Structures are given as C-alpha cells and as structure tokens.
Amino acid sequence: MAKDKKPNKLKARLPRGFVDRTADDIRSADDMIAKIKAVYEHHGFDPIETPTFEYTDCLGKFLPDTDRPNAGVFSVQDDDEQWMSLRYDLTAPMARHVAENINEIQLPYRTYRVGYVYRNEKPGPGRFRQFMQFDADTVGAPGVQTDAEACMMMADTMEALGIERGNYVIRVNNRKVLDGVMAEIGFGGDEHAESRLTVLRAVDKLDKFGPDGVRLLLGEGRKDESGDFTKGAGLSPENVEKVIAFTDGTLEMDNDGTRELATMQAIFDACGYGEDRIKIDPSVVRGLEYYTGPVYEAELLFDVTNEKGEVVQFGSVGGGGRYDGLVKRFVGRDVPATGFSIGVSRLMTALKNLGKLGNESMVAPVLVTVMDGDVDSLGHYMKMVQDLRAAGVRAELYQGNWKKFGNQLKYADKRGCPLAIIQGSDEKARGIVQIKDLEEGKRLSAEIEDNATWRESRPAQVEVPLAEMVDTVKKMLADQAADRETVRAATK
RNA sequence: GCAGUCGUAGCUCAGUUGGUUAGAGCGUCGGAUUGUGGCUCCGAAGGUCGGUGGUUCGAAUCCACCCGACUGUACCA
C-alpha cells in the first residue's frame, strides 16, 4: 500500500446562509410557535399549509429574470421546463391557494400558517437564507377594522411571548398617505414610479441613518463607512425638507389614507390599546410592492446584544399590511385582504437575549449502564429502562461498547445525565442496584484530587433494592429539580 | 452587485529580512485504570499553509488572478 493513500476527503460544509438547529433551538422554537398559535386560534383563525415550492409566476410578477433566474429566489426548472421557485414569503402562496379554491372558500377567510421561507440573497448577522415566518391573514374583508384587529393581534402576540409592554411597539402607517406625499413633491404619475421607490427606500432607512442620513439619500447621495457611494434620489432641497417634515409629523396630510388611520386609531382607543402598544408613525414604509392601504410593523425597543457583546440594531420582527390586488391577479375580481407576518427566527434571537426563551432545557435521560453483555443481562437491563419509562422517567440504555465501563460514565457526564444506574454481577446477586447522582458527584469531585480515592469513594452513590429503584430515581430527580429551582431563584 | 478587511490542524492562534522535516494551547482518540465521570501524567492521530499561476537556488512569507469568510452599503417581492 502506498503510504499516502489519502483520497481527497470531502469537505463537510454548510451552505452559507443556512444553519443547523440544535436540540435547544428546536425546543425553544416549538415553544414560541405554540404560544403564537394559541393567540391566532383564540382570535378565530384556522391553519392552512401550502408547499415550499410554487410555480414561479404564481409567486410574483418579477421572476425569473432570464439572465439571472435565481436572483433573489431559488428557482429550478421542472422536467416539463416550467420554472418553479422556493417560496420567499407565505402571503403569495396563500393568495394562490385562495384563488384556486375561491368557490369553496367562505369569505371572509381567516387563516394562519407557519413555515420556512427562502431568499437567495446575501446573508448577514441574524439574516439567513432559510428562515421561519408565522402569518395570519383575513381575505375578503375590505374595512380597516380588519387592519386594526391585525395590529392588536400582533401586540397581543408580542405579550404572549413574554415581551413586556414598553419593550415593543406596533407602528402603523398607510400607503395612501405616502402616495399623497409623493404627489406633493411632484412624483405623482406612473412615469415617476421608479423615483417614488427611491424616495420610499430612503424614508425606510430613517431608523438606520437618522434624518441627516436620509436627507443625503433624498438629495445627492451618501458615502458609507467603507467609502462606497450610494446615489441619492436627487430631490430639490425644499422637497427633501418636505419629505423629512412629513416623516417627523410636522407636515400633516389630509386624504383617504389619513382618514383610514383615524378610523383605526378610534378602534385602538375603544379597545384600550394606547400608544405604548400601537402608534401611528408616518415614517413606516414597509413592503414597497403589493401593499395598497394600511401597513404596520412590530419593532422591539430593548437593546439586543450579539455574541460579541455589541448592541445591534434589531429593526422589525414582523409586519404586514393590506394587499387588495394580490388575489385579483388570479381571479380577476376584487378580493381585498390584509395580514401580517412574524419573523420567528429573528424574534427567537431577540428573545434569547431577553432571557425569555424557554431555557429550562429538557433534562437528559437517566442512563442504565451495562456491566455484562450476555443475552440475559441485556434483557434485564432493558427491562430496567422500560420500568423507568413506564413510570414517566426519561431513560435510556448505554448503547456504546459496554466493555469499557469508564466510558459509560464519561458518556453520561458529557450528555448531562442526572443519574446513572449500575448493576454488576455482585449487585445482581444481592438483588440491588447502585444509583449514582452525577450532579452531586461533580460537586464532590472538586474536593478530591487523587484518582484512586475518587474512584474508591464512589461519591454520591446509593444502593437500593431493585424493587425500589424506580421510586428512588423519581425522588432523586425531584430533589435535583428542586435544587436547580433554588439556584435559579438565587441568581435572579 | 459595489467597497473595505482577512484566509496556517476540529477551534484559537504563533511562524523572524524569503532559508532544514510548519509549531503551541485547547479539543479528539489511546494508555496509566478488565467495575466508576473529575484532576494529574504519558502517548497518538490530525495540515493540498484557501486555490492556480508567477518571481527565486529556495515561498506559509513577495507578485497577479481566482475562490471563500467577515464588515459596511445596495437590493429585499
């Protein structure tokens, strides 16, 4: 054999912008989803699920670009040459579902859905190419009372997740108001659609760059930290000031949009949702494409620090609005709709910071160790495991090489097992088992330096008759849980 | 996409003006210890020095291009 018989090892690597989820993450996410679901169900919404793939033309009018069919979305061609894409939000697929079943669905249709969505764009801290959204929508409801309800439900959801009042705010605006502002600065007609977008994008960055940064973007342009230059909207100085005056509330408008906002405000007042929960804010822009009326977003107000300890601008964790034209694309007649989306993945990172994540992580299983590997013994050990499970105790049998007993406890230690059950032939002959408290043993290990003593003293280990094993285990686990609770209370 | 910074072991990093066979700590695995985690000691495995080409007697080191990561910015339905 040649000595360099090393074939090129395949490099194991995760596609960028994607993450593997740990056990803790999954449990936390499940916990969050359950809480959000409870709020939506309570408000009278029913679940629906659509697939992750859709025909590209059903997702939007934008794709695929023939040169770059994967720009923004992940697209593939089916074997009949049709373009399919991974969904980039949950709203467009829902609109497709409603349109396809419009004759069977009773409108207004109140529905929620949760799932992963995919975006083929540059990932960043807290921005991934696969992430989870949780949406609720009402289709076939023309009045702004539906939008108002959505805002209040978003507020309720934040609180259900443990975010205290004052730590979040739902900000509301209306696209029709923004259209009025565009008309004011002479960007009214269709021929100015592109310029309008530039202006709206600039306004959207108010929280990121502040009024002065937005002034630059509305005017000549702005240079970023790396020295790269971004071209501005090219507005005249007086128009720049007009837009800024509107966003800070100095310039008041009077049009359909402001009247709709007034109605919504009246509903918030009637229901007791004050400005500490829902606030009308003229700088909210939100999705630039299909929104036609009210738009709203949920913003977190507490500081979020990343793993490096830096405070990061977190921005919105969810948002939505009215999209009266989305279903119409399919059915031809007006089907008004409004709804919002919560970014589960983003919210989860924020909640982790706030310590509001269910981090009472699952206790590892009790480990039944194996001293003898003969058929009878294996059956006997497995029966011990089953007895523990039948009593509601999370338990497992050691599945590695049983001949190295030290490794079994090493495994139990690293896995975080609370207890280990030991029964060799001696114990078996006497009808007893050893129950080792691994947590207590870890504490004792600090006082023992010599390995021989450490092994012989068998710290934190009790002997009980086999018949009492289950009860003793349950009692020891309960004691450990109580200890953890005391420690947690003390550190608060 | 544009701009900036950076790529050496699984991880964190050292590596002199360009000079033998590229090192350390941590981690992993084995042993000291056929039936007891931790500590300690001993040993081992682990590297296309991001890639390709060039300069040179000689390149981890210098040059060019490419790839990748990070940060900012743009886009984000």
Side-chain angles (χ1 to χ4, degrees), chain A residues 250-373:
Chain A
T250 326
L251 174 64
E252 302 247 342
M253 306 291 297
D254 179 24
N255 55 29
D256 282 356
T258 51
R259 282 187 283 276
E260 288 183 6
L261 285 175
T263 306
M264 289 174 71
Q265 185 61 61
I267 294 174
F268 300 146
D269 291 343
C271 297
Y273 283 71
E275 288 210 340
D276 55 340
R277 285 196 269 180
I278 304 175
K279 191 174 185 324
I280 288 175
D281 179 338
S283 71
V284 174
V285 175
R286 208 56 218 168
L288 301 161
E289 208 50 53
Y290 54 60
Y291 290 126
T292 54
V295 289
Y296 31 91
E297 64 186 22
E299 193 187 338
L300 298 180
L301 300 177
F302 55 88
D303 280 347
V304 175
T305 47
N306 63 14
E307 51 282 343
K308 291 174 196 155
E310 303 157 341
V311 175
V312 293
Q313 285 260 350
F314 212 77
S316 83
V317 291
R322 176 162 287 278
Y323 47 95
D324 285 347
L326 210 50
V327 179
K328 186 179 183 179
R329 293 193 302 137
F330 298 104
V331 298
R333 65 181 159 96
D334 284 333
V335 183
T338 187
F340 66 87
S341 173
I342 287 181
V344 176
S345 310
R346 272 178 82 68
L347 240 186
M348 201 170 111
T349 24
L351 288 177
K352 207 179 271 180
N353 267 269
L354 204 57
K356 293 284 187 194
L357 217 50
N359 49 359
E360 58 274 16
S361 51
M362 175 86 63
V363 175
V366 169
L367 182 74
V368 174
T369 59
V370 178
M371 281 288 193
D372 298 300

Side-chain angles (χ1 to χ4, degrees), chain A residues 144-174:
Chain A
V144 293
Q145 61 272 30
T146 315
D147 299 277
E149 181 194 42
C151 292
M152 294 188 289
M153 189 161 93
M154 267 184 115
D156 288 355
T157 305
M158 292 297 128
E159 294 188 18
L161 289 169
I163 304 171
E164 277 147 38
R165 204 163 297 180
N167 273 340
Y168 74 90
V169 69
I170 313 298
R171 302 190 303 142
V172 190
N173 197 7
N174 194 306

Side-chain angles (χ1 to χ4, degrees), chain A residues 45-270:
Chain A
F45 289 77
D46 292 314
I48 188 74
E49 186 179 296
T50 63
T52 47
F53 267 104
E54 294 281 348
Y55 284 117
T56 303
D57 57 2
C58 288
L59 285 180
K61 56 191 167 181
F62 318 92
L63 301 159
D65 182 318
T66 41
D67 293 335
R68 296 174 62 201
N70 285 305
V73 300
F74 293 99
S75 300
V76 295
Q77 238 171 337
D78 205 355
D79 53 13
D80 61 2
E81 308 270 297
Q82 294 197 72
W83 280 101
M84 303 171 71
S85 299
L86 282 173
R87 62 188 180 196
Y88 51 75
D89 69 16
L90 297 176
T91 311
M94 192 275 301
R96 187 229 83 219
H97 170 82
V98 171
E100 211 170 355
N101 300 281
I102 192 78
N103 292 323
E104 288 76 46
I105 288 175
Q106 173 66 52
L107 299 181
Y109 180 53
R110 293 159 71 74
T111 173
Y112 72 83
R113 70 214 64 83
V114 59
Y116 281 115
V117 300
Y118 303 83
R119 297 190 184 176
N120 189 4
E121 50 191 38
K122 185 188 151 186
R127 291 189 72 179
F128 302 99
R129 297 206 289 176
Q130 169 184 286
F131 55 96
M132 191 174 280
Q133 291 193 331
F134 203 150
D135 285 28
D137 296 86
T138 304
V139 181
V144 293
Q145 61 272 30
T146 315
D147 299 277
E149 181 194 42
C151 292
M152 294 188 289
M153 189 161 93
M154 267 184 115
D156 288 355
T157 305
M158 292 297 128
E159 294 188 18
L161 289 169
I163 304 171
E164 277 147 38
R165 204 163 297 180
N167 273 340
Y168 74 90
V169 69
I170 313 298
R171 302 190 303 142
V172 190
N173 197 7
N174 194 306
R175 285 299 310 273
K176 292 172 188 167
V177 181
L178 292 164
D179 289 345
V181 178
M182 292 303 125
E184 276 291 306
I185 60 170
F187 277 3
D190 280 350
E191 70 275 20
H192 293 117
E194 196 58 36
S195 311
R196 275 203 300 272
L197 281 184
T198 314
V199 172
L200 291 175
R201 282 171 196 149
V203 171
D204 199 31
K205 299 202 164 39
L206 198 62
D207 54 343
K208 202 170 181 182
F209 300 140
D212 288 338
V214 172
R215 278 191 177 91
L216 291 174
L217 283 173
L218 288 170
E220 292 304 310
R222 177 180 177 278
K223 197 183 275 189
D224 74 29
E225 287 167 30
S226 66
D228 193 29
F229 187 75
T230 306
K231 197 171 179 300
L235 295 191
S236 67
E238 45 281 24
N239 279 338
V240 168
E241 288 316 312
K242 225 176 239 177
V243 173
I244 296 286
F246 167 72
T247 59
D248 65 20
T250 326
L251 174 64
E252 302 247 342
M253 306 291 297
D254 179 24
N255 55 29
D256 282 356
T258 51
R259 282 187 283 276
E260 288 183 6
L261 285 175
T263 306
M264 289 174 71
Q265 185 61 61
I267 294 174
F268 300 146
D269 291 343

